[in-house]
Amino acid sequence: MTNSPLRLTRRKTPILLLLLLFPFLASAQKKITGLVTDAETNNPVFKAAVMIKGTQKGTYTDEKGQYSIDAPAGSTLLITSMEYDLSEVAIGNNTTINVALKPKVSGLNEVVVIGYGTVKKKDLTGAIASLKAADIKTEGVSNVGRSLQGKLPGVTVESAGGDPGAGTRILIRGVGTLNNADPLYLVDGVQVANINNIAPGDIESMDVLKDASAAAIYGSRAANGVVLVTTKNGKSGKPVFNFRTNLGSQTLAKKYEVLNAEEWATVSNAAHDAGNGGAGLPRLDIAANPSSLGAGTDWQKAIYRTAPIQQYYLSASGGSDFSRYSVSGEYTDQRGIVDMTGYKRYGVRAKTESTKGILKFGQTFLATREKWNQMSTGWGGQGGNAVGSAMKMIPTYQIYDENAIGGYAGASGSVVNIPNPVALLHLEDVSYELTSFLANAYAEVSLRPYLKYKFNLGYTTSFGTTDDYVRRHDVGDLFKQKTNDMSRVQERNQLVLLENTLNFNKDFGKHSIQALAGYSYQKTRYNYNLMAKTNLPDGIKELDAASGTATVGGNSAESVLLSTLGRLIYTYDNRYLLTASFRRDGSSRFAAAHRYGNFPSVAVGWNINNERFWHVDPKIVSSLKLRASYGILGNQEIGDYQYSAAIASNINYVLGETQQKWFGAIQTAYASPNIKWENTATTNVGVDVSFLKGALNASVDYFFKKTTDVLLNVPIPGSAGSSSAPVVNAGTIQNKGIELGMNYTNHIGALNYNVYGTLSAVKNKVIELGTGTQQIFGGQPTHHGASSTLTEAGGEVTGFYLIKAEGIFQSQEEVNAYKDKNGNLIQPYAAPGDIKFLDANGDGIISSADRVHLGSPFPDFEYGIGFNLSAHHFDLNIYMQGVSGNKIYNGVRQDMEGMNLEYNYAKTTLQAWTPEHHTNMPRAVIDDPNLNSQTSSRFLESGSYFRMKTLQLGYTVPESINAKLHTTSLRAYISADNLFTITNYSGFNPDLGRTGSILDRGVDYGHVAYPLARVLSAGIQLSF
């Protein structure tokens, strides 16, 4: 029986209806409700976005973390929040969907080290700048300090010279003291002198505490800021090995242009001809026939070289849920661009952490051995070290003399006693070896899930030995030594740290409390020993082998610091933040009546974006936080025993008819029993804001810092019975400034990019100083020059106070017209071609009393900007930094353009003024009757610069290749450091570094300089 068409149609009808209704059934809506919470705290997440995947439809959670949304059956929900990882949930048949979001590791949930603990960035109230391991990874040849330069707002990083192994000097938020302005350095909680010996690969994070709220927990040691270094620890899982190597070549970044032999003889003859009031002085015999001299000896070429550098680093880390470890070793070998100089460092580190029930314990061990081969500081005279002598040494002299003792030639005749720089490098061996150990161990007991007790034991020791061996020599007519001599200086520093802390951390609904209480004991000890002997046999460097005069000496000092501390961090509903801390320090550096100081701080914060009234789209403003803080910090950075009278023993004398020898002692320093803590009060206001769903982040801080009771040395008459100025509390200094940090991350197709930048501006002022009229001079720029900086009430710290040069007298009529109110010549010894100086005080003579303020060594602002780009396994990292508005006193120019002494001159002196050729370079005159070469504004220059600090191109091999190589990751790169510097400064390097004294800031003392090197290198970073 066949089916009729009617029967077939009836059977298909239900199927056709289902097909026609399916789109309507599929789009049927149902209400989905649920709760969104934090996976770690179970707290509700406010304003989490709940979206239907593939659509623009969505909603937000309320303050209880609840949401409600109509969604099609079979769709998927996307739950996002800026502070959490994305969660994707299929609806299925559910009508109630609760989601626990996992906090992001980065962003506002990033953990920041704050001293004796950590805090999430979103709960931070203080001014803290941070640098993570990834920020250091892309550095080429570098040390830790240089990695900070320009990357943290409010943190000034200066080079400590171009010497191999030279570290950096860090200044946080300007100068608030006239003593040691270095910040407090802590590595895994233990104080160290500096961080220059830390391998960059060992660092997990660096956090700089800038305001009182952040730093007050360290009390007396925190007035200059705190730098916290946290080293890496292992993670649970199988062992991970990391290997890094970097091989590079260093070249002289900038050579100082000086005269060759023929040019020098020409300028020298002109200077002698103009001497003696124009009557002339006898020319030097060695300059008698300039055209026959040719180029002569290039002394700079003789001492500079292309120098290799190599760095190696290997680490292993891993662990389980109960124990973790990280061990590493590193080696650096850096030869100097100046011949015979160099630096080597060996380092090992081990860090472990274990948990057993309620007990947690861990340790850090760090050991380094460093050795510097250094230049001699000179053999007397006016040459200075080899760099200074190479600029000044007359090019007509030869390097070698095989008939001389030692084999080197030298200067002779009536010239300035400048030593042969090559002889300096080869006839004197100066080495410094430093062995450092850091050991830290702690035990932590969880008394309750929210209450922990921790005992921390820290110990550091460093032992340094300086050996100085001078071979017998006969270098020209001016430098002779008949014996081989040797000296050895040994210094040892030790620190013992004991800390007991109790930490409370608990959430009560919308309330979150972190509380800390603790007690700290710290003891430091310093030992110094000197041993020296003369007349050693040739080639032997052992003191016992010497037969000449022996010299010995030594001393020691110790100090103790006792402290109690406490801190409370309170958060309400992720909206309102409060941080309060207090520390009481007792220091043995002060007398009993003034031994203790109290250092409180308080800070508040407001996460405005978490308020119910906040309805700004996260795509526009993602987060907004206001911060404000106030606190008092202290400073005890003076020498030990300053409050007591210093007695010198072994002061012997002869008395009586029998001329009997008596042993005695005498007071050599005035006691200062009333000195007390130097206090710094800091006010800080800041804003943290994120835009574009966290892609763009910015922080702005304004601070005002006032230091009272500044500890300084006040001069007293010698009749008071003291050979030194006593320390008193006699000064007030203020600093104020603004800081900006920004970071933007995004991508365009396959190109990922990150742009970051910092900007800082700080101004300082001396409010009071000493007796009110006290003046502190500093910054002597040359071997024979006057001071160039002055610190006094009403001015700034180390402002440049100089006699002002106002151009050049172009004619005798101009000299005669420059008269005082009585008609007398102000510069009676001047002639056409000499410099006209300003008679600032109107007394009719040019003297030091005419100095006026002409600028600051501190920049108006400093900045840094960087770019990180990556695409298709390639990455490009660019970092630039600079400063603007500061001045530098160029002591090198003062020496090299003086034309008044018998040594070589700068190339610019070829343009010296003559009656036929009027220029801005004064005339060459050897006896300089007008004092054209005196310390004046003539040698003050702009210190502004812009530097291409790092340019690095890298390639990371694809995962497919890693699989074949059995590696986790492999990256190779080429890098250029200090590629170029744009500046009007004519010296070696506008990023100065001379000594640690703040009074020398901005003064380029070329006498003992070491030029900056340009470095090209290649490296490999391997994990397996």
Side-chain angles (χ1 to χ4, degrees), residues 589 638-645 669-673 675 713 724-727:
R589 290 180 174 172
I638 57 174
D640 295 318
Y641 318 123
Q642 295 292 312
Y643 64 87
S644 62
Y670 188 79
S672 300
I675 55 175
N713 297 91
S724 60
V727 175

Side-chain angles (χ1 to χ4, degrees), residues 74-96:
S75 59
T76 299
L77 295 183
L78 299 178
I79 301 94
T80 63
S81 179
M82 186 177 61
E83 302 174 20
Y84 299 88
D85 291 332
L86 171 69
S87 181
E88 187 171 324
V89 182
I91 292 177
N93 297 322
N94 300 311
T95 56
T96 301

Side-chain angles (χ1 to χ4, degrees), residues 356 369 705 814 984:
K356 181 69 173 179
R369 172 164 289 180
K705 185 167 68 171
E814 290 186 10
N984 290 324

Side-chain angles (χ1 to χ4, degrees), residues 36 43-49 60-65 81 84 573 575 609-614:
V36 179
N43 290 330
V45 177
F46 178 45
K47 284 193 177 179
Y60 291 100
T61 58
D62 61 19
E63 61 182 6
K64 296 181 180 179
S81 179
Y84 299 88
D573 198 24
R575 289 185 287 166
N609 58 288
N610 287 337
E611 292 288 354
R612 287 186 292 273
F613 61 75
W614 182 264

Side-chain angles (χ1 to χ4, degrees), residues 822-952:
N822 298 318
N824 300 315
L825 291 179
I826 294 176
Q827 292 180 235
Y829 302 107
D834 285 333
I835 292 179
K836 178 182 179 181
F837 295 105
L838 175 66
D839 179 20
N841 65 353
D843 64 357
I845 58 174
I846 303 300
S847 68
S848 60
D850 292 309
R851 290 184 294 187
V852 293
H853 180 263
L854 292 174
S856 171
F858 298 95
D860 293 335
F861 61 89
E862 51 190 296
Y863 57 91
I865 182 169
F867 303 88
N868 298 321
L869 304 96
S870 63
H872 304 296
H873 304 291
F874 285 95
D875 61 85
L876 179 66
N877 303 285
I878 303 171
Y879 182 67
M880 301 160 286
Q881 58 90 212
V883 303
S884 180
N886 61 307
K887 298 291 186 180
I888 296 177
Y889 192 94
N890 193 336
V892 178
R893 267 189 58 216
Q894 185 170 356
D895 274 338
M896 303 305 296
E897 293 183 357
M899 296 177 287
N900 62 317
L901 296 174
E902 308 286 8
Y903 48 62
N904 200 9
Y905 311 125
K907 190 76 93 174
T908 51
T909 59
L910 291 174
Q911 301 300 318
W913 190 97
T914 65
E916 299 79 20
H917 184 56
H918 292 194
T919 68
N920 292 324
M921 177 66 63
R923 67 187 179 119
V925 53
I926 199 66
D927 50 2
D928 196 15
N930 189 56
L931 301 180
N932 293 325
S933 61
Q934 68 180 315
T935 301
S936 71
S937 66
R938 173 187 171 189
F939 307 106
L940 189 67
E941 302 182 33
S942 169
S944 302
Y945 72 89
F946 172 82
R947 173 169 292 160
M948 174 63 77
K949 190 170 183 296
T950 302
L951 176 63
Q952 187 179 117

Side-chain angles (χ1 to χ4, degrees), residues 396-413:
T396 59
Y397 295 118
Q398 302 300 308
I399 299 176
Y400 303 104
D401 181 358
E402 61 182 13
N403 298 316
I405 299 174
Y408 291 91
S412 60

Side-chain angles (χ1 to χ4, degrees), residues 38 77 201 294 378 424 446 462 469 564 727 750 863 892 998:
D38 185 305
L77 295 183
L424 265 179
S446 296
S462 62
Y469 177 79
T564 54
V727 175
Y863 57 91
V892 178
I998 200 65

